[in-house]
Each structure stands twice: as C-alpha cells, then as structure tokens.
Amino acid sequence: MSRIASRFEELRSAGRKGFIPFVSAGDPDLETSFRIVLALADLGADIIELGVPFSDPMADGPTIQASSMRALANGVRLEDVIELSRQIRESSEVPIVLFSYLNPLYQYGLERLAHDAAGSGIDGILVTDAVDEEAAEIGAIFRSNGLDLISLIAPTTSDERLAKIAANANGFLYAVSRAGVTGARSETSSAAEELVRRARAVTDLPVAVGFGISTSGQIEEVWEYADAAVVGSAIVAEIERAISLGNVPERVRAFVGSLLPAVANTGTEN
Amino acid sequence: MSRYEPDERGYWGEFGGRFVPETLVAPLDELTENYLALRDDAEFSREFLYYLRDFAGRPTPLYLAERLTEKLGGARIFLKREDLTHTGAHKINNAIGQILLARRMGKTRIIAETGAGQHGVATATVCARFGLECVIYMGTEDIRRQELNVFRMRMLGAEVHGVDSGSRTLKDAINESLRDWVTNVRDTYYLLGSALGPHPYPLMVRDFQSVIGREAREQFLEREGSLPDALVACVGGGSNAIGLFHAFLEDDVRMIGVEAGGSGDKLGMHAARFAAGGHVGILQGTKSYVLQDAAGQVAATHSISAGLDYASIGPEHAYLRAIGRVEYASATDDEALAAFTELSSTEGIIPALETAHGIAHAIKLAPKLSPEAAMIVNLSGRGDKDLMSVAEYENGRAEQ
C-alpha cells in the first residue's frame, strides 16, 4: 500500500481527519523549505504538498504566484524539488505530493520524472493542467513507477466526469472548493460539500478539499464532510511575511500551530 | 477529412489539445458543443456575414501596391487591406463571430486579453454594440506602449485591467484572463483573440478569420484568372496568418509566416519561436512551440510590436511547419521599422508594427521573384496606434 493510502487508512481507523499543508518548494530557499516541511510534519501534517515553481501559474492567485516567482528567482528547478524531497524523506515518513503545472514535468521527461520521483520518496504528483486522455497517459506512467496521480475535481465537474477521473486517480481526490484560483477566502462555499457528496457516490477514494481554506474554523468545517483539508495560500502568505522578519520555519510553525487547535483532540471529536 | 482539420480533441498532429485545470473543462465542453453546432448553422452564418459586411465593412480590398512593387523590381505585391475594417485590424472578424456565439450561449459578461490593444478594441466594440459588460486584461508594459488603444477601449465602455505580473505583456494578460474565467465560469465568456489557447479556440478563431483568405482568393482569381505565387503574413499567436492561409492550403501556393526577430538571437531578445530556439511545450492550454529554458520555465520575449511579443504560437502553425506546408521566417525590430516607414512613404498606408514584420519580409522576398510572380501580404492592421512607439524608438536610436 502506498504511503498516501496507508496514511488515510490510519486516519480512518483513528476516526481522524487529515491536514495537508502546501508550500512552494524553494520559497524563500531550498534549505528553509526543508526546515518548514519538517516543522509541518512534526506538527502533525498528514501529507505535504510541494509546489513546483512555474513561470505561468494560471490556476494560482497572487499569493502563490508571488511565491513561485521568489523560488524561480532563486533558480529552483524540478530536479531541486526532487532532491529536496529526497532530503525530507531521509528525515521523515510524511507522504509527499508534488503539485505542478505540466510543462516543467514534460521538459524533464515524464518517464524520467516518475523514476526519479519514486526513487526520491515522492508519493504522488498532481498535474494542474492535465485532464482526460493526457491525464490518463500520465497516470499510467506514474502508476508503473509506484507513484499516485492525484487528480483535481471541481464544482463544475459532471457526475460522469467524476467517475472517469476517480477511475484514473490514486491516493486521494483533491476537490476544489469553488470555481476560482488558489487563495485565501473568508468563507468556504457550500459547493465543496455538494462536490464531496457527489464524489462519494462514485468512489471510495479519500477526498481532500482545498482552495481558499485559511482558518481553523474553515478546516473544522471541511473536516465535517471531507477526509482532509488542504491549506496553501494562508501558509504561503505567512512565509512571505516571515521572510522580512527572519526565523521563517519557526514563524510558520507557530502560525500553523495556531491554525490547528483541533489537531490534538480530533481523535475524540470524530 | 482534410489533413488541415484538427481531430475531435483539437489536435493537429501532435499540436493543440486542451491543457487546463479541471474547473475549465466543463465550460470548454459547453463552448465546443455550442460552437460545433453553430459552425454548420445557416442562420448563424448569415448573421455573421451580415455583421462582417455592414458593421465591419467587408469585403476588404485586395490592393496592388504599385509603387512598392516598382521600387523593389520583383514580384507584384498585393495587400489584403484588413486595416480598412472597422476598428482597423483583422481582430474584428473573430470578435464578431465570438460575440454572436456568446449571445447565443446566454453569457452576459465578456472578458478578453489584449497585446497591442487591437483585439481589446475589437472586443470592446462588439460588446458596446450588443450591450454586454466588457473586461479587458492588458499587460502594463503594453498599456504603456499602446496608450491610444487603452483610451479607445475605455471610450467604448470597457473596463481595462492592467496586469503587472511576469513580463507584463500578452502572455500575462492571457494568464489573468484565464484566472478571471476560472473564477466566473458560469456567466462569463472568454473571447480569446488569437488562434491559440485550449481547444476549441484555435479552431474557432481560425474559422472566423478564414474569411480573409476566402475573399483574397476570390478577389485574386477574379482579377488575375490564376492564384498568387506566395502569401506572407506576420505571426504572433497567428490568427491573421492562418486567416489568410487557410483558404489556400490545398492550393499550390507558397506561404510564409513572419515572426518577430526582436533585437537579437538570444533568448529574451525576440519572439521567434521557430526561427530561434523554441521547442515543444505546453503553455496556456495548448501544446505548441514555446520559448523556454531547459527547465521548462517560459522565457521573456521582446518585440517592438506588442502583438507579436508572445512566447508561444498557435498549434496549427506548429503543425503546418512540421508537415512542411508553411515556411516561417523572422524580421527584426529594425527591419520592421524600416518597412513601416517604407510602406507609409511609398504607398500612403501606415501599417501596424505587427504588420510591418510581414511587409519587411515581402521587401526581402519580392526582388528574388520574377515580375510575373505575385504575392499577397496580409495588411492585418493600421499603424496609428504605433506612431508614439515609433517616435520613441527613433529618438532612442538617435541618442545612441
């Protein structure tokens, strides 16, 4: 069983819900990303999403765009993200999912990527802009290397597509909470709950909800109906703030710690 | 089926397709379904042709540039006068086609990207005509160099949003339009302005622009009783070029697309995807040639013309090049500028800086062909918008 599947299995049997933080790899630099990820794992993150920086992040809002640009300004490339993952894996068993646009992966070579990623302890890859047949081809390459293809589902996804996507997906489904780009919003939409309900009808895969989740209240709300909550822009924004103040990993740890008041006692709550 | 038609997933050979976040799949499906249904709808065609004729002023003339021809002493040069359409560029053809589609789909809010501002002006124009809300995204660098068009769009009632990310040009305006669309999919229609982006845009824009070549072919046949020897058009995303070429693809006619050679061969100094080192990649929903570094990060581009200043090229062009049907060349900033001046003073026609790249190539090519030969250059747009840029550039050069 893959690291991702067993993590969800553990959560399920403990009656807990998952927490999936996202950070852009190499923002502000690779060493700091390494320390942030270990701090997140230590706080109880169930899966780490590592963003692969890209010059044209069309599905991202301003916060993650800026963080991508900071990483690119440091010359961070896909091979650095794979190496970062290898270092994380040496110190932690936390599952790692890369979150990337297709072009950097395509230029690296999909077969080579799947081989190198699996060998470096990466567990899954989410390709933001691959759907349908293209996603199926990528999924086949990933699977033959023991990697999960993590797929997005959206409120605009029809039931028919949901079933198709789920059939090609592994690990978990990533439900986009609303039509839109990444970025913190003050409330989650009812569309997310409806989407998760529709996904449950066609698959047994765990469902995580992301896009716009930035407060503990929102996390708890998502935990009521989904298997995990993804928090991205709120953490990335904290990294951005911390850059000028110094001690980035410590500040991020404190921030995420405050986001997760319920982590310690979810076992009894659910 | 003709080998010039894409397959049902929008691929011409290995180029094209649909590379978008899941949220956009449903609206693209909706768009594809609606467009394909209307493509063969006689009533829709009638409506489209009506607005092309009575609103945009088609057909545009096919004009023999006699003095330029004489001066160059080679092939006769004909100009397809898209600059004479309402709003001054070929962009209006596609804007009319898509606004009629958007209306049929019941969309109430229109968004568009623009580089040189011609597509933005065309979109703002049709939105004003049909009373639809209009939001235009434009890179702040382009806003600076195409200020006149920004005034025009605002006068027409459009909201113009400056885009400050990336290189602040066309590519970034497209990213921002896609972000808007993904956020407002239900009521918003994305009126994309060139033959690029995810399927069905490259096909749809090509179809709406192919009126250029259909007219030119008929006009030339009527006048000369034969077909021209060559066609020349500038290529940014590639809509004016594919618009001219499409009707001639099955004919024995040479075709040349002209990219922006910018100020040098180094990555970042030009927008010559074919001529100077682009390779196959995925950008903004489609697979085509992309100027990028080895890690797959999209490169900065440079061209004196905002409309050609783009890191990728429409997928149908990538295919036509791969099968050897169309040749691609490039013209530098300086060559385009010289052509801009040459056509203005020789023919009394001030071309857009984009168009001037095509003229520059025609000036190189004509003397190599016999006086019996004839070529058609797509005069895709008028140059009023560029006079300030040209003056600025000339001043900068004078100071060096």
Side-chain angles (χ1 to χ4, degrees), chain B residues 303-320:
Chain B
S303 168
I304 190 174
S305 75
L308 304 186
D309 199 351
Y310 183 61
S312 186
I313 184 165
E316 190 172 1
H317 285 289
Y319 172 71
L320 292 172

Side-chain angles (χ1 to χ4, degrees), chain B residues 261-297:
Chain B
S263 55
D265 287 342
K266 263 181 58 186
L267 198 61
M269 296 176 76
H270 61 84
R273 292 68 42 113
F274 293 146
H279 45 274
V280 178
I282 292 104
L283 179 64
Q284 296 178 330
T286 193
K287 188 185 215 182
S288 183
Y289 275 73
V290 179
L291 288 167
Q292 55 186 316
D293 68 15
Q297 305 299 338

Side-chain angles (χ1 to χ4, degrees), chain A residues 9-10 15 23 42 60 66 73 80 89 102-103 106 121 143 147 156 161 172 194 199 244-245 270:
Chain A
E9 201 50 54
E10 286 162 33
V23 294
D42 190 45
D60 286 300
D80 301 316
R89 183 58 67 235
L102 180 53
N103 198 51
Y106 182 78
R143 266 191 300 278
L147 281 179
T156 53
R161 283 187 62 78
F172 64 96
E194 167 66 12
S244 55
L245 302 169
N270 287 283

Side-chain angles (χ1 to χ4, degrees), chain B residues 1-13:
Chain B
M1 185 189 265
S2 157
R3 64 177 183 148
Y4 301 116
E5 288 301 297
D7 69 17
E8 61 173 20
R9 293 163 57 214
Y11 279 95
W12 284 269

Side-chain angles (χ1 to χ4, degrees), chain A:
Chain A
M1 192 186 285
S2 79
R3 241 181 241 110
I4 293 171
S6 28
R7 180 58 59 107
F8 276 105
E9 201 50 54
E10 286 162 33
L11 285 170
R12 205 170 286 193
S13 55
R16 287 180 48 227
K17 298 301 177 82
F19 170 62
I20 307 179
F22 166 98
V23 294
S24 291
D27 171 31
D29 56 67
L30 289 160
E31 169 62 25
T32 307
S33 291
F34 174 72
R35 292 170 56 208
I36 291 171
V37 169
L38 290 191
L40 292 169
D42 190 45
L43 279 169
D46 294 292
I47 295 171
I48 300 287
E49 272 192 12
L50 274 184
V52 176
F54 182 49
S55 54
D56 293 84
M58 67 172 166
D60 286 300
T63 305
I64 292 179
Q65 285 176 45
S67 108
S68 232
M69 294 310 136
R70 286 192 296 273
L72 287 177
N74 288 331
V76 172
R77 300 151 61 104
L78 178 57
E79 53 213 79
D80 301 316
V81 183
I82 295 170
E83 173 58 21
L84 170 64
S85 306
R86 196 189 57 74
Q87 289 170 10
I88 295 166
R89 183 58 67 235
E90 281 177 359
S91 312
S92 169
E93 276 303 300
V94 68
I96 300 171
V97 171
L98 300 191
F99 198 111
S100 183
Y101 290 86
L102 180 53
N103 198 51
L105 312 183
Y106 182 78
Q107 300 308 325
Y108 191 91
L110 293 170
E111 293 278 358
R112 179 181 162 220
L113 166 70
H115 174 267
D116 293 357
S120 306
I122 291 165
D123 302 288
I125 303 182
L126 188 154
V127 188
T128 318
D129 50 350
V131 293
D132 300 317
E133 285 87 344
E134 290 77 6
E137 285 168 27
I138 294 168
I141 296 171
F142 286 0
R143 266 191 300 278
S144 67
N145 285 272
L147 281 179
D148 289 340
L149 174 72
I150 311 299
S151 299
L152 290 172
I153 55 174
T156 53
T157 308
S158 66
D159 288 344
E160 191 193 346
R161 283 187 62 78
L162 276 179
K164 270 193 203 158
I165 292 169
N168 184 46
N170 309 89
F172 64 96
L173 289 176
Y174 185 131
V176 174
S177 66
R178 67 177 74 206
V181 294
T182 58
R185 288 178 189 83
S186 53
E187 52 190 53
T188 44
S189 75
S190 57
E193 186 170 359
E194 167 66 12
L195 174 59
V196 173
R197 190 191 59 70
R198 291 196 294 125
R200 300 272 195 230
V202 297
T203 181
D204 291 330
L205 280 173
V207 184
V209 172
F211 278 41
I213 295 165
S214 58
T215 65
S216 16
Q218 288 172 319
I219 294 172
E220 285 181 89
E221 206 183 311
V222 165
W223 279 351
E224 280 172 22
Y225 58 85
D227 300 297
V230 184
V231 180
S233 294
I235 297 173
V236 172
E238 183 60 24
I239 293 173
E240 182 170 12
R241 270 192 298 276
I243 289 171
S244 55
L245 302 169
N247 286 336
V248 178
E250 290 74 9
R251 285 180 196 278
V252 173
R253 172 194 282 270
F255 173 75
V256 174
S258 75
L259 259 189
L260 284 176
V263 141
N265 54 18
T266 44
T268 53
E269 272 189 355
N270 287 283

Side-chain angles (χ1 to χ4, degrees), chain B residues 238-258:
Chain B
S239 73
N240 92 78
I242 202 67
L244 175 64
F245 296 166
H246 188 252
F248 294 89
L249 283 170
E250 307 279 1
D251 299 323
D252 182 21
V253 173
R254 188 177 165 196
M255 301 178 185
I256 303 144
V258 187

Side-chain angles (χ1 to χ4, degrees), chain B residues 43 69 98 141 163 179 203 243 250 276 308 327 329 342 379:
Chain B
E43 178 53 35
T69 298
Q98 288 199 53
E141 166 62 14
V163 179
R179 290 180 188 123
L203 170 69
E250 307 279 1
L308 304 186
E327 303 160 48
E342 181 72 13
L379 201 81

